[in-house]
Amino acid sequence: MEPKKEQWINDILNSTDGMQRAEPGAFLFAKIRNRLPSGAPPVYVSPVTVWLTVATFALLILLNWRVVDWPSNAAPSQSTDLTHVATELNLFPTGNQLY
């Protein structure tokens, strides 16, 4: 490696020498603790919101199950249509058809 590049790399690697860790102020944590609300009542979710969420997830699961379980009519008809066209155009040698 060139000496200038090597010196530059060493300067970068040594640039953190002598640095010290940042120290927080003496009363920073006390100030933060005083600003936090103490004794605030817990937040509850209404039963209506819970039931709407459950109903939404149930509907999504039902719809996904129906889509996965849906009988696929497009794939077989497409393959038979392609086979019919290929047979009409004599693209298959005798006896070698796609099924």
Side-chain angles (χ1 to χ4, degrees):
M1 209 183 307
E2 295 179 26
K4 285 185 179 181
K5 282 187 179 180
E6 191 170 328
Q7 179 63 33
W8 179 70
I9 291 172
N10 287 333
D11 289 342
I12 300 265
L13 291 174
N14 296 331
S15 67
T16 58
D17 290 347
M19 293 182 94
Q20 294 180 354
R21 186 180 180 125
E23 297 286 331
F27 298 104
L28 176 67
F29 295 118
K31 288 178 185 178
I32 293 173
R33 196 173 308 144
N34 285 337
R35 288 186 185 176
L36 291 175
S38 60
V43 178
Y44 293 106
V45 179
S46 70
V48 174
T49 305
V50 172
W51 282 110
L52 284 174
T53 305
V54 169
T56 302
F57 277 112
L59 182 64
L60 285 173
I61 290 170
L62 179 67
L63 288 174
N64 281 324
W65 173 70
R66 292 292 291 167
V67 166
V68 170
D69 197 39
W70 195 269
S72 176
N73 293 332
S77 65
Q78 184 181 15
S79 66
T80 54
D81 290 343
L82 289 175
T83 305
H84 179 69
V85 170
T87 306
E88 290 293 323
L89 295 174
N90 292 327
L91 295 177
F92 295 124
T94 309
N96 292 334
Q97 292 184 352
L98 284 174
Y99 287 114

mmCIF file of all heavy atoms in Angstrom, residues 54-98:
data_model
loop_
_atom_site.group_PDB
_atom_site.id
_atom_site.type_symbol
_atom_site.label_atom_id
_atom_site.label_comp_id
_atom_site.label_asym_id
_atom_site.label_seq_id
_atom_site.Cartn_x
_atom_site.Cartn_y
_atom_site.Cartn_z
ATOM 1 N N VAL A 54 -61.426 -8.433 17.691
ATOM 2 C CA VAL A 54 -61.599 -9.886 17.560
ATOM 3 C C VAL A 54 -62.410 -10.204 16.306
ATOM 4 O O VAL A 54 -62.070 -11.124 15.546
ATOM 5 C CB VAL A 54 -62.265 -10.470 18.827
ATOM 6 C CG1 VAL A 54 -62.696 -11.906 18.614
ATOM 7 C CG2 VAL A 54 -61.319 -10.355 20.009
ATOM 8 N N ALA A 55 -63.475 -9.459 16.056
ATOM 9 C CA ALA A 55 -64.303 -9.697 14.871
ATOM 10 C C ALA A 55 -63.515 -9.433 13.590
ATOM 11 O O ALA A 55 -63.649 -10.169 12.607
ATOM 12 C CB ALA A 55 -65.552 -8.816 14.923
ATOM 13 N N THR A 56 -62.679 -8.413 13.594
ATOM 14 C CA THR A 56 -61.873 -8.103 12.415
ATOM 15 C C THR A 56 -60.891 -9.221 12.121
ATOM 16 O O THR A 56 -60.745 -9.656 10.973
ATOM 17 C CB THR A 56 -61.125 -6.772 12.624
ATOM 18 O OG1 THR A 56 -62.077 -5.744 12.892
ATOM 19 C CG2 THR A 56 -60.311 -6.412 11.404
ATOM 20 N N PHE A 57 -60.209 -9.703 13.155
ATOM 21 C CA PHE A 57 -59.259 -10.801 12.945
ATOM 22 C C PHE A 57 -59.971 -12.073 12.500
ATOM 23 O O PHE A 57 -59.477 -12.808 11.636
ATOM 24 C CB PHE A 57 -58.437 -11.066 14.203
ATOM 25 C CG PHE A 57 -57.266 -10.151 14.341
ATOM 26 C CD1 PHE A 57 -57.223 -9.202 15.344
ATOM 27 C CD2 PHE A 57 -56.198 -10.233 13.462
ATOM 28 C CE1 PHE A 57 -56.152 -8.348 15.473
ATOM 29 C CE2 PHE A 57 -55.116 -9.377 13.581
ATOM 30 C CZ PHE A 57 -55.087 -8.437 14.589
ATOM 31 N N ALA A 58 -61.142 -12.349 13.064
ATOM 32 C CA ALA A 58 -61.905 -13.535 12.654
ATOM 33 C C ALA A 58 -62.310 -13.424 11.185
ATOM 34 O O ALA A 58 -62.227 -14.397 10.428
ATOM 35 C CB ALA A 58 -63.128 -13.698 13.546
ATOM 36 N N LEU A 59 -62.736 -12.245 10.765
ATOM 37 C CA LEU A 59 -63.113 -12.039 9.369
ATOM 38 C C LEU A 59 -61.911 -12.215 8.441
ATOM 39 O O LEU A 59 -62.014 -12.848 7.390
ATOM 40 C CB LEU A 59 -63.727 -10.654 9.197
ATOM 41 C CG LEU A 59 -64.221 -10.301 7.796
ATOM 42 C CD1 LEU A 59 -65.360 -11.222 7.400
ATOM 43 C CD2 LEU A 59 -64.649 -8.855 7.747
ATOM 44 N N LEU A 60 -60.766 -11.674 8.834
ATOM 45 C CA LEU A 60 -59.560 -11.839 8.013
ATOM 46 C C LEU A 60 -59.144 -13.294 7.905
ATOM 47 O O LEU A 60 -58.770 -13.769 6.828
ATOM 48 C CB LEU A 60 -58.412 -11.004 8.596
ATOM 49 C CG LEU A 60 -58.500 -9.505 8.371
ATOM 50 C CD1 LEU A 60 -57.399 -8.795 9.148
ATOM 51 C CD2 LEU A 60 -58.373 -9.188 6.897
ATOM 52 N N ILE A 61 -59.208 -14.017 9.003
ATOM 53 C CA ILE A 61 -58.854 -15.445 8.977
ATOM 54 C C ILE A 61 -59.825 -16.210 8.092
ATOM 55 O O ILE A 61 -59.417 -17.058 7.288
ATOM 56 C CB ILE A 61 -58.824 -16.008 10.409
ATOM 57 C CG1 ILE A 61 -57.636 -15.437 11.166
ATOM 58 C CG2 ILE A 61 -58.775 -17.528 10.405
ATOM 59 C CD1 ILE A 61 -57.638 -15.732 12.647
ATOM 60 N N LEU A 62 -61.119 -15.918 8.197
ATOM 61 C CA LEU A 62 -62.122 -16.587 7.368
ATOM 62 C C LEU A 62 -61.894 -16.303 5.884
ATOM 63 O O LEU A 62 -61.948 -17.209 5.054
ATOM 64 C CB LEU A 62 -63.522 -16.144 7.787
ATOM 65 C CG LEU A 62 -64.677 -16.739 6.986
ATOM 66 C CD1 LEU A 62 -64.753 -18.228 7.250
ATOM 67 C CD2 LEU A 62 -65.974 -16.058 7.343
ATOM 68 N N LEU A 63 -61.635 -15.051 5.540
ATOM 69 C CA LEU A 63 -61.400 -14.702 4.140
ATOM 70 C C LEU A 63 -60.136 -15.363 3.599
ATOM 71 O O LEU A 63 -60.113 -15.847 2.466
ATOM 72 C CB LEU A 63 -61.320 -13.186 3.979
ATOM 73 C CG LEU A 63 -62.645 -12.437 4.130
ATOM 74 C CD1 LEU A 63 -62.393 -10.942 4.098
ATOM 75 C CD2 LEU A 63 -63.618 -12.846 3.054
ATOM 76 N N ASN A 64 -59.074 -15.390 4.396
ATOM 77 C CA ASN A 64 -57.846 -16.055 3.956
ATOM 78 C C ASN A 64 -58.071 -17.550 3.774
ATOM 79 O O ASN A 64 -57.561 -18.149 2.825
ATOM 80 C CB ASN A 64 -56.712 -15.815 4.960
ATOM 81 C CG ASN A 64 -56.100 -14.459 4.785
ATOM 82 O OD1 ASN A 64 -55.973 -13.976 3.673
ATOM 83 N ND2 ASN A 64 -55.731 -13.848 5.889
ATOM 84 N N TRP A 65 -58.831 -18.160 4.663
ATOM 85 C CA TRP A 65 -59.109 -19.586 4.538
ATOM 86 C C TRP A 65 -59.919 -19.863 3.274
ATOM 87 O O TRP A 65 -59.653 -20.826 2.562
ATOM 88 C CB TRP A 65 -59.859 -20.070 5.772
ATOM 89 C CG TRP A 65 -60.327 -21.473 5.666
ATOM 90 C CD1 TRP A 65 -59.561 -22.604 5.682
ATOM 91 C CD2 TRP A 65 -61.673 -21.904 5.497
ATOM 92 N NE1 TRP A 65 -60.353 -23.700 5.543
ATOM 93 C CE2 TRP A 65 -61.670 -23.308 5.426
ATOM 94 C CE3 TRP A 65 -62.889 -21.239 5.413
ATOM 95 C CZ2 TRP A 65 -62.831 -24.046 5.269
ATOM 96 C CZ3 TRP A 65 -64.035 -21.975 5.259
ATOM 97 C CH2 TRP A 65 -63.995 -23.361 5.191
ATOM 98 N N ARG A 66 -60.884 -18.986 2.959
ATOM 99 C CA ARG A 66 -61.694 -19.178 1.758
ATOM 100 C C ARG A 66 -60.862 -19.025 0.490
ATOM 101 O O ARG A 66 -61.071 -19.732 -0.483
ATOM 102 C CB ARG A 66 -62.862 -18.185 1.744
ATOM 103 C CG ARG A 66 -63.899 -18.434 2.817
ATOM 104 C CD ARG A 66 -64.665 -19.686 2.599
ATOM 105 N NE ARG A 66 -65.518 -19.534 1.432
ATOM 106 C CZ ARG A 66 -66.138 -20.515 0.835
ATOM 107 N NH1 ARG A 66 -66.019 -21.729 1.300
ATOM 108 N NH2 ARG A 66 -66.869 -20.294 -0.211
ATOM 109 N N VAL A 67 -59.937 -18.087 0.496
ATOM 110 C CA VAL A 67 -59.096 -17.879 -0.688
ATOM 111 C C VAL A 67 -58.168 -19.068 -0.891
ATOM 112 O O VAL A 67 -57.989 -19.542 -2.013
ATOM 113 C CB VAL A 67 -58.292 -16.562 -0.550
ATOM 114 C CG1 VAL A 67 -57.189 -16.489 -1.581
ATOM 115 C CG2 VAL A 67 -59.220 -15.371 -0.672
ATOM 116 N N VAL A 68 -57.597 -19.591 0.180
ATOM 117 C CA VAL A 68 -56.690 -20.728 0.057
ATOM 118 C C VAL A 68 -57.460 -21.978 -0.337
ATOM 119 O O VAL A 68 -56.986 -22.793 -1.129
ATOM 120 C CB VAL A 68 -55.927 -20.940 1.388
ATOM 121 C CG1 VAL A 68 -55.172 -22.253 1.379
ATOM 122 C CG2 VAL A 68 -54.981 -19.785 1.628
ATOM 123 N N ASP A 69 -58.663 -22.160 0.189
ATOM 124 C CA ASP A 69 -59.453 -23.363 -0.055
ATOM 125 C C ASP A 69 -60.314 -23.259 -1.306
ATOM 126 O O ASP A 69 -60.997 -24.197 -1.657
ATOM 127 C CB ASP A 69 -60.340 -23.629 1.175
ATOM 128 C CG ASP A 69 -60.872 -25.036 1.192
ATOM 129 O OD1 ASP A 69 -60.118 -25.956 0.821
ATOM 130 O OD2 ASP A 69 -62.055 -25.212 1.571
ATOM 131 N N TRP A 70 -60.275 -22.135 -1.995
ATOM 132 C CA TRP A 70 -61.114 -21.909 -3.173
ATOM 133 C C TRP A 70 -60.762 -22.910 -4.269
ATOM 134 O O TRP A 70 -59.604 -23.097 -4.578
ATOM 135 C CB TRP A 70 -60.869 -20.487 -3.672
ATOM 136 C CG TRP A 70 -61.900 -20.010 -4.634
ATOM 137 C CD1 TRP A 70 -61.848 -20.123 -5.972
ATOM 138 C CD2 TRP A 70 -63.106 -19.326 -4.326
ATOM 139 N NE1 TRP A 70 -62.956 -19.551 -6.525
ATOM 140 C CE2 TRP A 70 -63.747 -19.060 -5.539
ATOM 141 C CE3 TRP A 70 -63.710 -18.933 -3.150
ATOM 142 C CZ2 TRP A 70 -64.967 -18.406 -5.596
ATOM 143 C CZ3 TRP A 70 -64.918 -18.285 -3.206
ATOM 144 C CH2 TRP A 70 -65.532 -18.029 -4.422
ATOM 145 N N PRO A 71 -61.767 -23.553 -4.891
ATOM 146 C CA PRO A 71 -61.452 -24.497 -5.974
ATOM 147 C C PRO A 71 -60.895 -23.745 -7.180
ATOM 148 O O PRO A 71 -61.488 -22.794 -7.656
ATOM 149 C CB PRO A 71 -62.790 -25.160 -6.295
ATOM 150 C CG PRO A 71 -63.829 -24.262 -5.722
ATOM 151 C CD PRO A 71 -63.188 -23.484 -4.605
ATOM 152 N N SER A 72 -59.776 -24.200 -7.642
ATOM 153 C CA SER A 72 -59.091 -23.501 -8.721
ATOM 154 C C SER A 72 -59.563 -24.038 -10.062
ATOM 155 O O SER A 72 -59.154 -25.109 -10.498
ATOM 156 C CB SER A 72 -57.583 -23.689 -8.567
ATOM 157 O OG SER A 72 -56.921 -23.105 -9.640
ATOM 158 N N ASN A 73 -60.449 -23.297 -10.722
ATOM 159 C CA ASN A 73 -60.959 -23.708 -12.029
ATOM 160 C C ASN A 73 -60.108 -23.149 -13.165
ATOM 161 O O ASN A 73 -60.181 -23.625 -14.282
ATOM 162 C CB ASN A 73 -62.400 -23.233 -12.214
ATOM 163 C CG ASN A 73 -63.342 -23.939 -11.267
ATOM 164 O OD1 ASN A 73 -63.076 -25.057 -10.873
ATOM 165 N ND2 ASN A 73 -64.420 -23.278 -10.891
ATOM 166 N N ALA A 74 -59.326 -22.127 -12.902
ATOM 167 C CA ALA A 74 -58.573 -21.472 -13.964
ATOM 168 C C ALA A 74 -57.405 -22.321 -14.442
ATOM 169 O O ALA A 74 -57.140 -22.406 -15.628
ATOM 170 C CB ALA A 74 -58.063 -20.121 -13.486
ATOM 171 N N ALA A 75 -56.704 -22.982 -13.555
ATOM 172 C CA ALA A 75 -55.503 -23.723 -13.941
ATOM 173 C C ALA A 75 -55.814 -24.921 -14.841
ATOM 174 O O ALA A 75 -55.199 -25.070 -15.881
ATOM 175 C CB ALA A 75 -54.726 -24.153 -12.700
ATOM 176 N N PRO A 76 -56.774 -25.799 -14.507
ATOM 177 C CA PRO A 76 -57.030 -26.939 -15.393
ATOM 178 C C PRO A 76 -57.561 -26.507 -16.756
ATOM 179 O O PRO A 76 -57.177 -27.049 -17.772
ATOM 180 C CB PRO A 76 -58.054 -27.781 -14.642
ATOM 181 C CG PRO A 76 -57.912 -27.388 -13.225
ATOM 182 C CD PRO A 76 -57.475 -25.956 -13.248
ATOM 183 N N SER A 77 -58.465 -25.521 -16.810
ATOM 184 C CA SER A 77 -59.011 -25.120 -18.100
ATOM 185 C C SER A 77 -57.928 -24.471 -18.954
ATOM 186 O O SER A 77 -57.916 -24.628 -20.165
ATOM 187 C CB SER A 77 -60.195 -24.169 -17.911
ATOM 188 O OG SER A 77 -59.749 -22.955 -17.327
ATOM 189 N N GLN A 78 -57.021 -23.749 -18.306
ATOM 190 C CA GLN A 78 -55.939 -23.120 -19.063
ATOM 191 C C GLN A 78 -55.025 -24.186 -19.664
ATOM 192 O O GLN A 78 -54.644 -24.101 -20.819
ATOM 193 C CB GLN A 78 -55.145 -22.182 -18.163
ATOM 194 C CG GLN A 78 -54.067 -21.426 -18.899
ATOM 195 C CD GLN A 78 -53.280 -20.520 -17.962
ATOM 196 O OE1 GLN A 78 -53.355 -20.663 -16.755
ATOM 197 N NE2 GLN A 78 -52.532 -19.623 -18.530
ATOM 198 N N SER A 79 -54.691 -25.214 -18.867
ATOM 199 C CA SER A 79 -53.808 -26.246 -19.389
ATOM 200 C C SER A 79 -54.502 -27.054 -20.480
ATOM 201 O O SER A 79 -53.884 -27.432 -21.462
ATOM 202 C CB SER A 79 -53.314 -27.161 -18.268
ATOM 203 O OG SER A 79 -54.393 -27.888 -17.722
ATOM 204 N N THR A 80 -55.812 -27.330 -20.345
ATOM 205 C CA THR A 80 -56.507 -28.068 -21.392
ATOM 206 C C THR A 80 -56.656 -27.208 -22.643
ATOM 207 O O THR A 80 -56.597 -27.722 -23.762
ATOM 208 C CB THR A 80 -57.885 -28.551 -20.917
ATOM 209 O OG1 THR A 80 -58.619 -27.440 -20.433
ATOM 210 C CG2 THR A 80 -57.745 -29.612 -19.852
ATOM 211 N N ASP A 81 -56.846 -25.895 -22.481
ATOM 212 C CA ASP A 81 -56.904 -25.021 -23.643
ATOM 213 C C ASP A 81 -55.567 -25.017 -24.377
ATOM 214 O O ASP A 81 -55.530 -25.081 -25.611
ATOM 215 C CB ASP A 81 -57.261 -23.589 -23.231
ATOM 216 C CG ASP A 81 -58.706 -23.468 -22.760
ATOM 217 O OD1 ASP A 81 -59.492 -24.388 -23.049
ATOM 218 O OD2 ASP A 81 -59.017 -22.458 -22.106
ATOM 219 N N LEU A 82 -54.477 -24.944 -23.622
ATOM 220 C CA LEU A 82 -53.158 -24.974 -24.252
ATOM 221 C C LEU A 82 -52.908 -26.309 -24.941
ATOM 222 O O LEU A 82 -52.335 -26.361 -26.034
ATOM 223 C CB LEU A 82 -52.062 -24.705 -23.212
ATOM 224 C CG LEU A 82 -51.982 -23.277 -22.675
ATOM 225 C CD1 LEU A 82 -50.946 -23.191 -21.575
ATOM 226 C CD2 LEU A 82 -51.644 -22.313 -23.794
ATOM 227 N N THR A 83 -53.337 -27.391 -24.309
ATOM 228 C CA THR A 83 -53.162 -28.711 -24.919
ATOM 229 C C THR A 83 -53.990 -28.814 -26.195
ATOM 230 O O THR A 83 -53.522 -29.353 -27.206
ATOM 231 C CB THR A 83 -53.587 -29.806 -23.926
ATOM 232 O OG1 THR A 83 -52.852 -29.637 -22.728
ATOM 233 C CG2 THR A 83 -53.327 -31.191 -24.487
ATOM 234 N N HIS A 84 -55.191 -28.285 -26.161
ATOM 235 C CA HIS A 84 -56.052 -28.325 -27.339
ATOM 236 C C HIS A 84 -55.429 -27.532 -28.491
ATOM 237 O O HIS A 84 -55.397 -28.007 -29.632
ATOM 238 C CB HIS A 84 -57.433 -27.760 -26.984
ATOM 239 C CG HIS A 84 -58.381 -27.732 -28.128
ATOM 240 N ND1 HIS A 84 -58.907 -28.872 -28.690
ATOM 241 C CD2 HIS A 84 -58.893 -26.686 -28.855
ATOM 242 C CE1 HIS A 84 -59.690 -28.541 -29.695
ATOM 243 N NE2 HIS A 84 -59.710 -27.212 -29.815
ATOM 244 N N VAL A 85 -54.914 -26.325 -28.196
ATOM 245 C CA VAL A 85 -54.290 -25.510 -29.240
ATOM 246 C C VAL A 85 -53.045 -26.208 -29.779
ATOM 247 O O VAL A 85 -52.822 -26.256 -30.997
ATOM 248 C CB VAL A 85 -53.945 -24.104 -28.691
ATOM 249 C CG1 VAL A 85 -53.074 -23.334 -29.665
ATOM 250 C CG2 VAL A 85 -55.211 -23.338 -28.380
ATOM 251 N N ALA A 86 -52.234 -26.763 -28.884
ATOM 252 C CA ALA A 86 -51.013 -27.435 -29.330
ATOM 253 C C ALA A 86 -51.340 -28.668 -30.164
ATOM 254 O O ALA A 86 -50.649 -28.973 -31.138
ATOM 255 C CB ALA A 86 -50.158 -27.827 -28.128
ATOM 256 N N THR A 87 -52.394 -29.371 -29.816
ATOM 257 C CA THR A 87 -52.791 -30.548 -30.590
ATOM 258 C C THR A 87 -53.295 -30.134 -31.964
ATOM 259 O O THR A 87 -52.984 -30.767 -32.978
ATOM 260 C CB THR A 87 -53.884 -31.332 -29.836
ATOM 261 O OG1 THR A 87 -53.421 -31.621 -28.535
ATOM 262 C CG2 THR A 87 -54.222 -32.625 -30.555
ATOM 263 N N GLU A 88 -54.065 -29.051 -32.014
ATOM 264 C CA GLU A 88 -54.581 -28.563 -33.288
ATOM 265 C C GLU A 88 -53.446 -28.127 -34.213
ATOM 266 O O GLU A 88 -53.540 -28.268 -35.431
ATOM 267 C CB GLU A 88 -55.546 -27.396 -33.055
ATOM 268 C CG GLU A 88 -56.858 -27.786 -32.418
ATOM 269 C CD GLU A 88 -57.706 -28.652 -33.340
ATOM 270 O OE1 GLU A 88 -57.704 -28.411 -34.562
ATOM 271 O OE2 GLU A 88 -58.361 -29.575 -32.819
ATOM 272 N N LEU A 89 -52.395 -27.572 -33.645
ATOM 273 C CA LEU A 89 -51.275 -27.111 -34.464
ATOM 274 C C LEU A 89 -50.224 -28.194 -34.704
ATOM 275 O O LEU A 89 -49.184 -27.929 -35.285
ATOM 276 C CB LEU A 89 -50.609 -25.899 -33.790
ATOM 277 C CG LEU A 89 -51.478 -24.645 -33.674
ATOM 278 C CD1 LEU A 89 -50.749 -23.587 -32.865
ATOM 279 C CD2 LEU A 89 -51.824 -24.108 -35.047
ATOM 280 N N ASN A 90 -50.493 -29.402 -34.211
ATOM 281 C CA ASN A 90 -49.578 -30.542 -34.348
ATOM 282 C C ASN A 90 -48.185 -30.219 -33.777
ATOM 283 O O ASN A 90 -47.168 -30.513 -34.393
ATOM 284 C CB ASN A 90 -49.457 -30.978 -35.807
ATOM 285 C CG ASN A 90 -50.738 -31.584 -36.325
ATOM 286 O OD1 ASN A 90 -51.466 -32.227 -35.553
ATOM 287 N ND2 ASN A 90 -51.017 -31.400 -37.579
ATOM 288 N N LEU A 91 -48.171 -29.646 -32.594
ATOM 289 C CA LEU A 91 -46.897 -29.329 -31.946
ATOM 290 C C LEU A 91 -46.328 -30.523 -31.181
ATOM 291 O O LEU A 91 -45.158 -30.542 -30.841
ATOM 292 C CB LEU A 91 -47.066 -28.144 -30.988
ATOM 293 C CG LEU A 91 -47.432 -26.816 -31.631
ATOM 294 C CD1 LEU A 91 -47.643 -25.768 -30.578
ATOM 295 C CD2 LEU A 91 -46.369 -26.387 -32.621
ATOM 296 N N PHE A 92 -47.177 -31.518 -30.901
ATOM 297 C CA PHE A 92 -46.714 -32.697 -30.176
ATOM 298 C C PHE A 92 -46.474 -33.822 -31.167
ATOM 299 O O PHE A 92 -47.265 -34.056 -32.063
ATOM 300 C CB PHE A 92 -47.770 -33.172 -29.174
ATOM 301 C CG PHE A 92 -48.044 -32.186 -28.074
ATOM 302 C CD1 PHE A 92 -49.328 -31.733 -27.857
ATOM 303 C CD2 PHE A 92 -47.024 -31.724 -27.248
ATOM 304 C CE1 PHE A 92 -49.597 -30.843 -26.853
ATOM 305 C CE2 PHE A 92 -47.299 -30.839 -26.237
ATOM 306 C CZ PHE A 92 -48.577 -30.395 -26.030
ATOM 307 N N PRO A 93 -45.377 -34.550 -30.976
ATOM 308 C CA PRO A 93 -45.225 -35.773 -31.760
ATOM 309 C C PRO A 93 -46.322 -36.767 -31.340
ATOM 310 O O PRO A 93 -46.904 -36.633 -30.275
ATOM 311 C CB PRO A 93 -43.846 -36.297 -31.399
ATOM 312 C CG PRO A 93 -43.177 -35.214 -30.653
ATOM 313 C CD PRO A 93 -44.225 -34.272 -30.169
ATOM 314 N N THR A 94 -46.594 -37.731 -32.125
ATOM 315 C CA THR A 94 -47.679 -38.690 -31.850
ATOM 316 C C THR A 94 -47.451 -39.355 -30.511
ATOM 317 O O THR A 94 -46.409 -39.916 -30.238
ATOM 318 C CB THR A 94 -47.743 -39.753 -32.958
ATOM 319 O OG1 THR A 94 -47.783 -39.087 -34.207
ATOM 320 C CG2 THR A 94 -48.942 -40.633 -32.784
ATOM 321 N N GLY A 95 -48.456 -39.306 -29.652
ATOM 322 C CA GLY A 95 -48.407 -39.989 -28.355
ATOM 323 C C GLY A 95 -47.752 -39.181 -27.242
ATOM 324 O O GLY A 95 -47.776 -39.623 -26.109
ATOM 325 N N ASN A 96 -47.163 -38.029 -27.495
ATOM 326 C CA ASN A 96 -46.512 -37.231 -26.434
ATOM 327 C C ASN A 96 -47.297 -35.942 -26.230
ATOM 328 O O ASN A 96 -46.954 -34.915 -26.775
ATOM 329 C CB ASN A 96 -45.055 -36.892 -26.818
ATOM 330 C CG ASN A 96 -44.173 -38.104 -26.834
ATOM 331 O OD1 ASN A 96 -44.447 -39.071 -26.144
ATOM 332 N ND2 ASN A 96 -43.124 -38.067 -27.630
ATOM 333 N N GLN A 97 -48.318 -36.022 -25.441
ATOM 334 C CA GLN A 97 -49.126 -34.849 -25.164
ATOM 335 C C GLN A 97 -48.989 -34.485 -23.692
ATOM 336 O O GLN A 97 -48.760 -35.314 -22.853
ATOM 337 C CB GLN A 97 -50.590 -35.103 -25.483
ATOM 338 C CG GLN A 97 -50.832 -35.271 -26.976
ATOM 339 C CD GLN A 97 -52.299 -35.421 -27.284
ATOM 340 O OE1 GLN A 97 -53.095 -35.534 -26.370
ATOM 341 N NE2 GLN A 97 -52.640 -35.449 -28.545
ATOM 342 N N LEU A 98 -49.156 -33.185 -23.418
ATOM 343 C CA LEU A 98 -49.095 -32.706 -22.029
ATOM 344 C C LEU A 98 -50.432 -32.949 -21.353
ATOM 345 O O LEU A 98 -51.459 -32.465 -21.806
ATOM 346 C CB LEU A 98 -48.791 -31.196 -21.988
ATOM 347 C CG LEU A 98 -47.374 -30.791 -22.267
ATOM 348 C CD1 LEU A 98 -47.289 -29.286 -22.339
ATOM 349 C CD2 LEU A 98 -46.463 -31.303 -21.182
#
